[in-house]
Amino acid sequence: INHISPDDPPVFMRYGMSPEAPIPTKNAQGWMIHHVNFGLAMKEKLEAAGVEVTLSYPGVETRYKDEIEFLIAKLRAQ
């Protein structure tokens, strides 16, 4: 997250939990970067740098239905 720059490629992130999902008490250190709240923080930084970002998690609508559709769109744009 500290190495984001404007020349980064478009990013697609998908999480299987909503932002309200609790962080487990066991092994919480590893879960912090795998929790959707990390994705939300990363999305904010990417947008501030002007990088296109799609963040998908249960209950949110996105431009692309999944990472495959995202990848195909990016490859077609080349």
Side-chain angles (χ1 to χ4, degrees):
I1 198 166
N2 295 321
H3 301 287
I4 290 170
S5 64
D7 62 341
D8 287 342
V11 175
F12 184 97
M13 297 179 285
R14 180 164 62 166
Y15 290 86
M17 82 269 300
S18 67
E20 298 80 28
I23 296 174
T25 53
K26 279 187 168 181
N27 206 11
Q29 188 71 2
W31 261 91
M32 288 181 188
I33 62 167
H34 297 286
H35 195 279
V36 68
N37 287 335
F38 178 79
L40 289 166
M42 191 162 168
K43 180 178 187 280
E44 186 177 311
K45 291 269 192 168
L46 287 162
E47 288 176 338
V51 177
E52 179 188 347
V53 59
T54 301
L55 176 62
S56 175
Y57 56 86
V60 70
E61 288 191 33
T62 62
R63 179 177 177 183
Y64 306 99
K65 81 173 180 183
D66 58 25
E67 58 272 20
I68 303 299
E69 188 176 284
F70 171 82
L71 181 59
I72 290 170
K74 297 304 156 197
L75 291 173
R76 284 190 176 151
Q78 297 296 324

